[in-house]
Amino acid sequence: MPVRLDSRDAGFAKSFETLLNSKREASQEVGDAVAAILADVKARGDKAVAEYTERFDGHAGTQGSFRVEDHEIATARSRTSAGVLDALTIAHDRIRAHHEKQRPLDQIYQDHLGVTLGTIWTPVEAVGVYVPGGLAAYPSSVLMNVVPAKVAGASRIAMVVPTPGGQLNDAVLAAASIAGVTEIYRIGGAQAIGALAYGTETIAPVSKIVGPGNAYVAAAKRQVFGTVGIDMIAGPSEVLVIADGSANPAWVAADLLAQAEHGGGAQSILVTTDQRLADLVEDEVWRQIELLPRAEITRAGWEEFGAIITVASLDEAVELANRIASEHVELALDDPKALLPRIRNAGAIFLGHHTPEAIGDYVGGSNHVLPTARSARYASGLGVLDFMKRTSVLGCDPSSLAELAPAAVTLAETEGLQAHGRSVSIRLNR
């Protein structure tokens, strides 16, 4: 059953700590299996990828059929309904417009000594995007991962998507076409991550891999990090709703269930100052679950990891929210902006009664690839800067070098690195 807590109860601190530290990640030990797959792909390339594709996806992925051809993408787009294409286009355009505002500017200047200093930004040239394609297909995930990379200036975007039974999802291919993906491969799992990281005979390696996946994909991303960059290790989805008596209980319940229906450890938490709202929301959750096509998965998610916490004040609610550091934080309040500056740890914040988190999942414009499992304490959601590199620029002329040289030589000698010091002092000789 979902947890019911009240901050005024004597045992609240201990109960909240238990909730905070509950393990929602997949418990299956997959590290060794993933390590073996990655080593095999690194050693045998396409042949290994084909064998794993046949074993896990049920179709013979051969060297000639990994890549999705242009005519297949065009056909998939033609089969996608006009309504879906319009929705994808609206989402793409809004995501692009928002992310274009994240582009950083180069800066070059001279200080008072005449030293040239600055920062220049360059894009990651080759990006690999993993798109889930097992139990469900997510065209929105294509847009959220590809658009910031395109805005950053990535010249090559290679997308991999598992195809159980050899079937490709039309909407996923349509989204890739709209977003400007340059290559699509019908492979998934740890073998796809290995192919992107190490390269095979037919798939060139990339420099960074992004995108969500199952426990095997997450473990593979963790293990190839260093060979390539990665975005993050994404855990189960989560939402925290802060609400007072002004909130609509049916709306709040719907938002909690929108996360619970992900299953797989997803967590939904309500923190409210209103006991009556807490009771009404709980009743609404049970009522609405029965209306959902995925009722069994959603019920399991709510029963296993759902929570309703009653607090004495919004000050307490803010304190708990910052400790939980949720992926999504909804402020179901009449004046959400009053609380906004105080929410320090959150992947994304949704303001007011008319901003359900699902708008951010699809068409709001902000990115839905966000830090989970309390990593919002130190991490951010996916954005343009994740696909750019910052390079420092430094330049001295004879005069500024002469000004800086004595301190540089002194520090080099202090560290016992005489060659460092000599590389400076030799330039002072006439």
Side-chain angles (χ1 to χ4, degrees):
M1 294 297 291
V3 174
R4 283 293 298 259
L5 301 177
D6 192 313
S7 65
R8 288 154 288 205
D9 291 344
F12 173 75
K14 183 176 181 180
S15 298
F16 179 74
E17 199 66 30
T18 299
L19 174 69
L20 202 61
N21 295 316
S22 60
K23 183 175 176 62
R24 297 183 296 113
E25 305 291 341
S27 59
Q28 184 179 12
E29 293 298 328
V30 299
D32 291 344
V34 166
I37 291 171
L38 293 176
D40 197 15
V41 171
K42 189 174 184 180
R44 297 196 298 131
D46 282 343
K47 188 173 183 181
V49 173
E51 290 174 5
Y52 290 118
T53 300
E54 184 169 11
R55 182 191 307 178
F56 298 128
D57 287 347
H59 68 92
T62 62
Q63 177 175 330
S65 69
F66 286 160
R67 185 154 184 167
V68 180
E69 301 297 335
D70 290 345
H71 69 85
E72 295 179 272
I73 299 170
T75 299
R77 186 162 178 164
S78 70
R79 288 196 300 247
T80 304
S81 72
V84 171
L85 288 174
D86 286 346
L88 288 171
T89 301
I90 290 169
H92 170 270
D93 293 348
R94 290 189 59 82
I95 295 164
R96 184 173 185 90
H98 174 67
H99 284 77
E100 281 177 344
K101 292 178 172 58
Q102 299 178 359
R103 284 186 59 91
L105 298 175
D106 292 348
Q107 182 187 43
I108 304 290
Y109 68 96
Q110 279 193 331
D111 68 11
H112 67 286
L113 294 179
V115 177
T116 298
L117 290 160
T119 300
I120 58 173
W121 295 87
T122 55
V124 174
E125 294 178 2
V127 174
V129 176
Y130 190 97
V131 178
L135 295 176
Y138 298 106
S140 62
S141 184
V142 177
L143 301 180
M144 294 293 180
N145 284 278
V146 173
V147 171
K150 293 290 288 186
V151 171
S155 56
R156 175 178 169 238
I157 299 178
M159 186 177 105
V160 295
V161 55
T163 53
Q167 297 300 308
L168 287 159
N169 182 274
D170 288 343
V172 166
L173 294 186
S177 173
I178 290 169
V181 176
T182 54
E183 305 162 35
I184 305 175
Y185 300 96
R186 59 183 96 234
I187 57 175
Q191 62 272 23
I193 299 298
L196 290 173
Y198 305 128
T200 71
E201 295 88 338
T202 60
I203 303 173
V206 300
S207 300
K208 187 164 191 173
I209 299 174
V210 300
N214 62 18
Y216 288 86
V217 172
K221 286 172 67 177
R222 184 180 287 110
Q223 291 186 30
V224 300
F225 176 66
T227 299
V228 294
I230 62 172
D231 51 351
M232 63 186 76
I233 304 298
S237 189
E238 54 203 30
V239 68
L240 169 71
V241 180
I242 296 177
D244 59 13
S246 68
N248 183 316
W251 296 4
V252 172
D255 292 352
L256 296 172
L257 293 176
Q259 295 302 307
E261 78 170 339
H262 281 293
Q267 185 169 56
S268 304
I269 299 175
L270 167 63
V271 179
T272 180
T273 56
D274 192 292
Q275 181 66 53
R276 181 173 180 273
L277 179 75
D279 295 337
L280 290 173
V281 167
E282 184 167 21
D283 291 343
E284 272 292 319
V285 165
W286 294 121
R287 185 186 71 81
Q288 291 185 31
I289 281 176
E290 301 307 319
L291 307 176
L292 298 173
R294 292 164 60 93
E296 185 175 345
I297 292 174
T298 308
R299 185 184 300 107
W302 174 245
E303 289 181 344
E304 190 170 3
F305 295 113
I308 296 177
I309 304 172
T310 309
V311 295
S313 67
L314 287 178
D315 289 340
E316 277 192 89
V318 168
E319 179 187 348
L320 297 185
N322 284 326
R323 291 178 65 188
I324 293 169
S326 182
E327 177 186 13
H328 309 104
V329 174
E330 289 189 9
L331 301 181
L333 310 164
D334 281 342
D335 186 14
K337 290 183 180 179
L339 231 59
L340 178 60
R342 298 168 58 194
I343 304 295
R344 300 186 307 276
N345 301 330
I349 301 172
F350 303 83
L351 301 176
H353 302 302
H354 293 87
T355 316
E357 182 276 322
I359 286 291
D361 281 341
Y362 299 116
V363 295
S366 56
N367 207 290
H368 78 198
V369 181
L370 300 166
T372 61
R374 304 189 67 212
S375 61
R377 293 171 297 154
Y378 54 82
S380 308
L382 196 69
V384 171
L385 292 185
D386 290 290
F387 300 97
M388 301 197 79
K389 302 174 273 93
R390 184 181 67 248
T391 303
S392 298
V393 175
L394 179 65
C396 294
D397 59 17
S399 174
S400 58
L401 177 63
E403 287 282 347
L404 295 177
V409 171
T410 296
L411 290 174
E413 291 176 348
T414 299
E415 295 183 353
L417 299 173
Q418 280 74 23
H420 279 61
R422 189 170 185 275
S423 74
V424 176
S425 61
I426 198 173
R427 285 170 164 77
L428 305 179
N429 296 333
R430 294 292 185 266

